[in-house]
Amino acid sequence: MKKLHLITLGLMMFSGLASAAGDAYIGEHVQTNIRSTDSLRNGARTFMNYCMGCHSMEFQRYNRVAEDLGLTEDEMMNGLVLTDAKFADKMTIAMDPQDAEQWFGKTPPDLTVIAKARGLDWLYNFLINYYLDPTRPTGWNNLTFENASMPHVLWEFQGMRKANFNVYEDEDGNEHKEFIDFEVVEAGSMSEQEYKDMVRDLVNFLDYSSEPAQLIRMSYAPWVLLFVALFTFLAYLLKVNYFRDIH
Ligand code: HEC
C-alpha cells in the first residue's frame, strides 16, 4: 500500500511538473556518485539542518537512512537530527501546512521523491541559481525556478548575487529576457567550488532518498558482471569443443 502511495505521488508530481520544468534554465550538469557514503552523509546533514525546517521526507525513516549511510543510532540522532524525533520515526516535520501556505504563499512540498520528479540537473541548478530580486516577497528570485516562493536558505554559504539580464522587444512587440551573468553583491562563507560541492552532495542525498534500493542494486553490479564474464568464458570453451573436429 505504501509503495502504491509513493508511485501515485511520484506520478502526480511528474505529470504536474514536467511541463513547468520545460524551459527551465539548466546551465550546468551535475555529476553525483550514489556510492560515495561521504557525499551522502554530507548531503543528509545539509538536508536535516537547512531543509527540514520546511520540507518533510515522509517516506523515509531515520533508522533506514542511518543503516544505508553506515551511521550508528547515536551518530544519526545526536549528530544529524535537530529535533526530538525517535530513531524509528518517519522524517516528518512539525510545520502546519496551512501556516506554511500563509507564510510562503505555497506549501513546501515533501521531498522524498523530488529527484524523480525534477531530475538531478534541475535540482542542482535550482540550488545554485538564486539571485537578489527586490520585486519578490522573499527578496530572492531564481533562474531555474522563476518566481519560486522559497527563499535562498543557503545564502550564507553562497553569498548574495545580482543577475544581469538583456531585456529586449522583438518585431512583434513581445518582451524577451536573456540572462547575461551574475554579479557578486556580498561574498558567502564558502568559495564557489565549496558551495557547489555542498549542493552536489545534497542533490546526491535527494537522489538516494527517491530510490534507496539503488544502493543495493549498485552493490550487486560487480557480481552480475562477474557472472556474465564467467558464463561467456564457459560458452566459449563449449564452442571450441563443439567445433574442434569441423574443418
Ligand atoms: C523557509 C522554508 C523553506 C526551507 C528552509 C526550504 N524550502 Fe524548499 N521550498 C519552500 C517553499 C515555500 C517551496 C514552494 C515554492 C514554490 O512552489 O514556489 C519550496 C520548494 C522547493 C523545491 C521545489 C519543489 C517543486 O518541484 O515544486 C525544492 C526542490 C526545494 N524546495 C528544495 C529545498 C531544499 C533542498 C532545501 C534545503 C537546502 C529547502 N528546500 C529549504 C520553502 C522552504
Side-chain angles (χ1 to χ4, degrees):
M1 198 54 202
K2 209 176 281 162
K3 270 230 176 79
L4 199 66
H5 277 324
L6 202 67
I7 292 168
T8 321
L9 184 78
L11 284 177
M12 264 163 44
M13 291 177 113
F14 200 80
S15 55
L17 297 175
S19 54
D23 53 356
Y25 174 87
I26 304 290
E28 274 180 59
H29 170 64
V30 64
Q31 194 77 46
T32 55
N33 178 3
I34 198 129
R35 275 171 298 176
S36 166
T37 315
D38 281 346
S39 163
L40 290 177
R41 286 180 188 169
N42 215 1
R45 179 174 306 114
T46 307
F47 185 80
M48 288 175 201
N49 277 283
Y50 298 100
C51 312
M52 279 191 78
C54 299
H55 294 280
S56 57
M57 198 174 250
E58 288 218 27
F59 300 97
Q60 275 279 21
R61 287 177 195 274
Y62 294 105
N63 54 5
R64 171 75 199 258
V65 174
E67 187 187 330
D68 287 344
L69 272 51
L71 298 166
T72 63
E73 178 169 350
D74 183 54
E75 282 168 335
M76 183 74 178
M77 300 318 283
N78 296 325
L80 297 191
V81 179
L82 302 178
T83 60
D84 55 4
K86 303 221 169 35
F87 197 42
D89 280 353
K90 288 183 181 168
M91 294 172 58
T92 51
I93 54 168
M95 189 193 276
D96 175 38
Q98 258 155 14
D99 286 345
E101 173 119 29
Q102 234 172 13
W103 294 330
F104 305 110
K106 287 262 169 61
T107 307
D110 182 88
L111 294 185
T112 318
V113 293
I114 194 69
K116 292 273 180 250
R118 289 294 202 177
L120 304 190
D121 281 341
W122 189 94
L123 289 173
Y124 179 74
N125 281 273
F126 169 50
L127 293 166
I128 63 172
N129 283 318
Y130 268 99
Y131 61 90
L132 291 171
D133 182 350
T135 68
R136 298 293 307 158
T138 60
W140 293 101
N141 208 331
N142 192 287
L143 267 195
T144 304
F145 186 178
E146 225 185 308
N147 298 338
S149 41
M150 172 174 140
H152 188 6
V153 296
L154 300 173
W155 73 270
E156 282 167 81
F157 305 107
Q158 190 182 29
M160 297 190 198
R161 302 178 307 174
K162 268 190 344 192
N164 295 314
F165 291 99
N166 180 14
V167 184
Y168 61 92
E169 265 183 25
D170 62 18
E171 302 96 75
D172 304 328
N174 297 322
E175 200 176 83
H176 292 271
K177 210 170 151 190
E178 227 172 46
F179 170 67
I180 306 172
D181 61 5
F182 288 121
E183 211 179 295
V184 177
V185 175
E186 194 185 310
S189 64
M190 286 183 171
S191 71
E192 191 181 335
Q193 194 54 52
E194 284 168 339
Y195 180 71
K196 286 183 171 172
D197 287 350
M198 176 190 193
V199 171
R200 177 204 59 208
D201 291 346
L202 177 56
V203 170
N204 199 20
F205 176 69
L206 292 173
D207 184 24
Y208 146 76
S209 88
S210 74
E211 196 192 344
Q214 279 180 92
L215 288 182
I216 300 165
R217 206 167 59 217
M218 297 299 265
S219 69
Y220 284 153
W223 298 107
V224 172
L225 289 179
L226 190 70
F227 173 78
V228 170
L230 265 177
F231 186 78
T232 310
F233 183 61
L234 283 178
Y236 171 74
L237 287 184
L238 201 62
K239 174 196 167 271
V240 170
N241 204 17
Y242 276 166
F243 286 82
R244 185 175 327 187
D245 300 325
I246 302 173
H247 297 290

